[in-house]
Amino acid sequence: MNPDASTIAAGAPIEVDLSPVAEGQDIKVFWRGKPIYISHRTKKQIDEARAVNVASLPDPQSDEARVKSGHEQWLVVIGICTHLGCIPIAHEGNYDGFFCPCHGSQYDSSGRIRQGPAPANLPVPPYTFVSDTKIQIG
Amino acid sequence: MSGPSDYQPSNPALQWIERRLPILGLMHSSFVVYPTPRNLNYWWTFGAILSFMLGMQILTGVILAMHYTPHADLAFKSVELLVRDVNYGWLLRNMHACGASMFFFAVYVHMLRGLYYGSYKEPREVLWILGVIIYLLMMATGFMGYVLPWGQMSFWGATVITNLFSAIPYVGESIVTLLWGGYSVGNPTLNRFFSLHYLLPFLIAGVVVLHVWALHVAGQNNPDGVEPKTEKDTVPFTPHATIKDGFGVACFLLLYAWFIFYMPNYLGDADNYIPANPGVTPPHIVPEWYYLPFYAILRSIPNKLAGVIGMFSAIIILCFLPWLDAAKTRSSKYRPLAKQFFWIFVAVCILLGYLGAQPPEGIYVIAGRILTVCYFAYFLIVLPLLSRIETPRPVPNSISEAILSKSGKAVASVAVMIVAAGALFLGSVQDVRASEGSDKPPGNKWSFAGPFGKFDRGALQRGLKVYKEVCASCHGLSYIAFRNLAEAGGPGYSVAQAAAFASEYKVKDGPNDAGDMFERPGRPADYFPSPFPNEQAARAANGGAAPPDLSLITKARSYGRGFPWFIFDFFTQYQEQGPDYVSAVLQGFDDHVPEGVTIPEGSYYNRYFPGHAIKMPKPLSDGQVTYDDGSPTTVAQYAKDVTTFLMWTAEPHMEARKRLGFQVFVFLILFAGLMYFTKKKVWADSH
């Protein structure tokens, strides 16, 4: 009952062009049926994410570990709440990040869980920068 | 099933069969001469009611499956077409959907009856555990069945429930992938849920056979909790129990029919009339009412894994009930303390159900935690403790002695409590959106409201005109075919008029012999063409907000009625939240934006729209559409007409539903009356 061959094939890596995404905006693409948020973060959002004491977080992880160095402005996360799988809304909540409407989990501008029932940070999908304005997810 | 039967059929052919397969003797000893305690009350008829409901669900389900398409792109539409085009499809669907709720309602009564009268105690432990297994199977079946219509609640309910398994350490993620057959809830998930939803009821039927077998070995418990000792304590199953169960089923059918014919959407969620969309989560995800207490337990525990464990143990703990409650006295009738705690427990379950439908914030979370503790305390502290400290009242020596000393205390008061509690519980689903506040749409006088409601033909024809001239430029009506305009219960056009109406439209057809697509005039069998080729085009042309299809809009929109209105609604048959909302939104535009509300660029203020900022500009203004029949050409009249029309598009067979409902009620009331007097006659010398 595991995924069949066509489902696996459809889950192959995809390329996303980042050039149309302005600073402060984000786009949502689907990969393997999952929504992936790609945020072009502002300077303020990056600073907020880096100013946090990592040890105080429910799921400690530094912002540096969640983005690719040299591309700090881009945050790529799977937009599925780690609680029960709803889709969080971008640019909402108290932490300049994501807010899940189902059970009230709040994530910061690095996609890390800050408040609510979710146990873990929004996962970062496997991706690489093909060029400065293009990434490959998967 | 109670020992070898001495039954001998008189017919030689039957004798021939009986010598080779003693099935008639089995039936005879199980359902004819089988001794049942004389003092059983009406709570014991729920066993028969449940068997009846299982049969009903399987029968309607098999026919529904003949018309249903289990594919992510087609499932929603196939359910709608089933309701609209299949002969009595609306009836089948209502029977199946309301039947699930009725099945659970009956099983809860059945379980609480077992709890109250100690039916799980020695020697009926296996019987009880088989019952818990049936209940678990029912929950799985009900959940997968709710996924099949592939509406928003189906999809997101499936997402939330399957994600529960991701809480299991190490193997959780792979289990969830296995359940989905993909990387998220999608077409493979729908396919396998359909297959399992078809399979599980037959497993339930199998376990029911074991349940009945175990019951007939141990014998039925009874309200006094003393085993039958002499023949005077029992009566033969047929005709006594058969006729009493028949009367019970007839009464239950009255409640069932009330939902089928008059309140088919009362227990459902309006969001499930919106097709599944993996990109948008509804604001509140609420399971069906029968899972709400467990959902409340899940949400009240702040840790994910602990929450899932808590939820499942709330059910599994029932398996251990025979050993948690070690009291020798079975029936709570003779246990003064246990009786009180039982009713507190019932109240806790109902309140948990209420909380399960509320948004998880503030006071609701705290109340949920307290009640979760109460729920488990009943099983883990109260029952074990009571069996040690409680002094029960003396039980009668035999069933006949109990009947002779019967004081005839009011069962009615208990029944009233159950009904009131049940209504509160059932209706709590409706309360979901109450917290969103905002202005509630004003009520209207609709021609189609109430048990004898009919559509106002003039309003339908005028509403069609308003749709065609105003709404159709942005909104589709894709489930309505031109032929529907000439069908009974609709706007009352003739077939020729509908054909003429259709021919005014250009419909895309093809490919022709040259392989090209071409346009031709519409035919009655064609559906209303949509203004945009796809959702993305609709979104792009309308500033990012796609105008929804209007076929189902009056059922897909609702607003919270709030406590206690949803209870009154059950009795007054008020179910026009959708039309009230649609009509209110059409009239709720105001150029003057009140203090404290900010409307983003490209949106408009609407008093009744949730959040007040709507992308649709004011669609109607006075005098915009001309009427030939002299009706006032005002926004209020337009709104009323087009809403009536949209109520018809959402449910074209509403008049047939209410008409058949009346006939069924007349029949059922007469039938139940006859059953009652037959039962009285049969039991005349047994009481």
Side-chain angles (χ1 to χ4, degrees):
Chain A
M1 298 223 297
N2 261 325
D4 64 19
S6 72
T7 310
I8 293 169
I14 54 163
E15 286 196 346
V16 183
D17 181 17
L18 303 178
S19 50
V21 189
E23 189 173 299
Q25 283 191 330
D26 51 10
I27 55 169
K28 189 162 72 171
V29 297
F30 277 86
W31 177 63
R32 294 190 164 181
K34 292 174 178 165
I36 311 263
Y37 277 111
I38 304 173
S39 306
H40 194 163
R41 300 189 292 177
T42 59
K43 182 89 179 58
K44 176 169 163 280
Q45 283 180 307
I46 301 173
D47 290 344
E48 276 173 359
R50 306 219 153 165
V52 183
N53 175 11
V54 172
S56 70
L57 295 172
D59 182 10
Q61 212 179 4
S62 70
D63 184 57
E64 286 82 354
R66 296 176 55 81
V67 296
K68 305 279 182 212
S69 62
H71 302 284
E72 284 82 8
Q73 71 273 39
W74 296 104
L75 175 74
V76 182
V77 288
I78 298 179
I80 291 181
C81 181
T82 53
H83 182 227
L84 291 172
C86 300
I87 297 184
I89 303 164
H91 299 300
E92 272 199 32
N94 302 330
Y95 300 94
D96 225 354
F98 304 87
F99 169 76
C100 178
C102 290
H103 304 106
S105 295
Q106 301 197 17
Y107 301 86
D108 65 10
S109 53
S110 186
R112 292 173 298 195
I113 179 66
R114 297 294 285 271
Q115 194 183 322
N121 302 333
L122 291 179
V124 177
Y127 71 98
T128 48
F129 276 88
V130 183
S131 71
D132 269 356
T133 59
K134 193 177 257 189
I135 59 169
Q136 174 179 306
I137 301 173
Chain B
M1 296 180 193
S2 54
S5 169
D6 50 7
Y7 173 71
Q8 269 306 320
S10 47
N11 183 309
L14 292 181
Q15 275 172 8
W16 187 89
I17 295 174
E18 187 67 10
R19 272 201 303 280
R20 285 152 184 84
L21 178 73
I23 189 165
L24 293 169
L26 181 71
M27 289 295 164
H28 187 259
S29 58
S30 302
F31 300 111
V32 179
V33 292
Y34 177 74
T36 65
R38 255 172 72 183
N39 57 341
L40 296 187
N41 57 30
Y42 276 105
W43 299 119
W44 261 264
T45 60
F46 277 84
I49 289 170
L50 283 163
S51 314
F52 171 80
M53 286 311 300
L54 178 63
M56 204 63 159
Q57 289 300 87
I58 290 181
L59 185 70
T60 52
V62 166
I63 303 175
L64 284 172
M66 295 174 187
H67 302 284
Y68 170 77
T69 316
H71 187 280
D73 296 337
L74 306 170
F76 186 86
K77 191 164 190 187
S78 80
V79 171
E80 266 316 307
L81 296 184
L82 189 165
V83 168
R84 287 156 197 269
D85 290 343
V86 174
N87 296 323
Y88 291 100
W90 58 268
L91 178 61
L92 284 170
R93 199 219 171 169
N94 287 354
M95 282 171 82
H96 199 71
C98 301
S101 282
M102 289 294 100
F103 201 173
F104 273 96
F105 172 68
V107 91
Y108 284 133
V109 174
H110 192 65
M111 288 162 77
L112 288 173
R113 190 268 290 152
L115 202 59
Y116 184 82
Y117 292 113
S119 300
Y120 46 86
K121 292 187 185 196
E122 198 274 319
R124 298 186 181 84
E125 297 94 332
V126 172
L127 172 63
W128 173 262
I129 291 170
L130 284 169
V132 177
I133 292 172
I134 293 173
Y135 176 56
L136 276 173
L137 286 171
M138 275 176 66
M139 292 184 100
T141 314
F143 158 64
M144 288 194 254
Y146 193 54
V147 174
L148 300 184
W150 211 239
Q152 271 291 66
M153 267 311 152
S154 302
F155 183 90
W156 290 100
T159 302
V160 167
I161 302 295
T162 49
N163 263 307
L164 292 178
F165 293 92
S166 71
I168 303 168
Y170 308 116
V171 292
E173 292 296 331
S174 9
I175 291 180
V176 173
T177 307
L178 204 64
L179 285 173
W180 289 339
Y183 304 107
S184 57
V185 174
N187 192 47
T189 323
L190 178 60
N191 263 306
R192 60 193 55 190
F193 278 17
F194 178 57
S195 166
L196 292 173
H197 183 71
Y198 205 105
L199 168 71
L200 288 186
F202 297 99
L203 289 187
I204 293 178
V207 184
V208 165
V209 169
L210 296 180
H211 191 69
V212 173
W213 186 11
L215 172 75
H216 284 200
V217 170
Q220 280 165 294
N221 185 28
N222 59 72
D224 292 293
V226 288
E227 297 292 334
K229 294 194 177 84
T230 61
E231 225 163 79
K232 272 201 295 188
D233 291 342
T234 61
V235 286
F237 192 91
T238 302
H240 292 80
T242 332
I243 196 75
K244 195 168 179 176
D245 286 346
F247 176 59
V249 170
C251 291
F252 191 79
L253 277 176
L254 280 166
L255 177 70
Y256 185 20
W258 186 265
F259 282 110
I260 294 174
F261 293 106
Y262 295 124
M263 310 290 288
N265 294 311
Y266 181 71
L267 297 167
D269 195 298
D271 274 338
N272 226 25
Y273 281 107
I274 304 171
N277 181 348
V280 181
T281 312
H284 292 296
I285 297 187
V286 185
E288 288 283 73
W289 68 267
Y290 33 87
Y291 304 127
L292 287 174
F294 303 104
Y295 193 59
I297 290 175
L298 167 79
R299 293 196 312 190
S300 58
I301 302 176
N303 178 290
K304 182 176 171 181
L305 180 59
V308 173
I309 292 175
M311 188 183 78
F312 281 108
S313 28
I315 304 164
I316 300 300
I317 200 167
L318 291 170
C319 286
F320 300 95
L321 190 56
W323 297 277
L324 288 170
D325 175 15
K328 286 278 169 289
T329 310
R330 284 207 191 97
S331 171
S332 294
K333 214 167 147 183
Y334 303 102
R335 299 180 63 190
L337 288 176
K339 187 193 259 176
Q340 291 174 25
F341 278 107
F342 170 82
W343 287 111
I344 294 172
F345 174 72
V346 173
V348 165
C349 290
I350 291 168
L351 287 173
L352 272 174
Y354 180 76
L355 291 177
Q358 304 306 316
E361 46 195 33
I363 182 76
Y364 295 130
V365 177
I366 298 161
R369 288 186 185 152
I370 295 170
L371 290 169
T372 301
V373 171
C374 293
Y375 180 94
F376 285 103
Y378 177 73
F379 291 105
L380 297 174
I381 301 172
V382 173
L383 285 179
L385 200 63
L386 278 185
S387 56
R388 283 169 183 79
I389 63 166
E390 188 183 30
T391 327
R393 296 197 290 122
V395 295
N397 288 318
S398 71
I399 289 175
S400 10
E401 189 188 302
I403 291 175
L404 287 175
S405 65
K406 196 172 162 187
S407 58
K409 264 206 335 194
V411 180
S413 63
V414 179
V416 167
M417 274 174 82
I418 287 277
V419 168
L424 175 77
F425 189 73
L426 298 176
S428 56
V429 175
Q430 297 289 311
D431 206 25
V432 168
R433 278 172 202 76
S435 68
E436 282 176 11
S438 78
D439 300 67
K440 296 236 161 138
N444 291 280
K445 247 189 112 55
W446 298 109
S447 59
F448 49 82
F452 302 106
K454 280 189 165 46
F455 290 114
D456 173 353
R457 307 276 165 239
L460 286 181
Q461 299 191 355
R462 293 192 299 269
L464 172 62
K465 192 159 196 266
V466 174
Y467 168 76
K468 192 184 168 191
E469 293 181 15
V470 184
C471 318
S473 55
C474 299
H475 293 278
L477 199 63
S478 52
Y479 295 135
I480 301 297
F482 298 117
R483 67 185 155 85
N484 296 135
L485 298 173
E487 278 166 12
Y493 287 114
S494 68
V495 175
Q497 279 172 314
F501 188 90
S503 64
E504 292 170 21
Y505 282 83
K506 287 271 171 278
V507 174
K508 198 166 189 185
D509 202 348
N512 60 14
D513 289 345
D516 301 322
M517 303 300 280
F518 60 94
E519 283 200 334
R520 59 164 173 78
R523 298 179 194 135
D526 290 321
Y527 287 82
F528 273 84
S530 294
F532 301 102
N534 52 53
E535 201 200 316
Q536 282 76 3
R539 202 173 283 284
N542 288 282
D549 191 276
L550 293 184
S551 313
L552 280 164
I553 202 80
T554 51
K555 278 179 167 182
R557 296 291 182 275
S558 185
Y559 65 93
R561 292 282 287 166
F563 182 82
W565 287 105
F566 64 82
I567 296 177
F568 302 147
D569 291 348
F570 172 75
F571 299 101
T572 60
Q573 297 188 355
Y574 175 80
Q575 48 190 338
E576 280 76 36
Q577 289 103 316
D580 282 345
Y581 170 81
V582 170
S583 147
V585 164
L586 287 173
Q587 300 173 69
F589 287 87
D590 199 340
D591 293 333
H592 172 72
V593 179
E595 290 283 324
V597 181
T598 47
I599 301 299
E601 191 71 25
S603 294
Y604 303 88
Y605 173 77
N606 190 306
R607 192 174 152 199
Y608 300 105
F609 191 73
H612 300 304
I614 190 168
K615 281 275 187 185
M616 175 171 75
K618 187 171 188 284
L620 297 166
S621 45
D622 289 343
Q624 191 178 357
V625 181
T626 54
Y627 280 157
D628 307 331
D629 62 357
S631 300
T633 52
T634 58
V635 170
Q637 185 66 33
Y638 293 150
K640 190 169 181 175
D641 291 343
V642 82
T643 308
T644 306
F645 173 69
L646 291 176
M647 188 61 219
W648 171 74
T649 63
E651 196 180 353
H653 296 299
M654 190 209 73
E655 289 187 7
R657 163 164 71 84
K658 291 184 173 175
R659 192 171 54 239
L660 186 61
F662 180 68
Q663 294 163 354
V664 166
F665 261 86
V666 170
F667 169 78
L668 278 180
I669 288 168
L670 290 176
F671 180 69
L674 287 173
M675 288 302 269
Y676 178 71
F677 289 113
T678 318
K679 184 250 157 197
K680 256 187 112 71
K681 180 88 182 137
V682 167
W683 282 78
D685 48 0
S686 303
H687 272 311

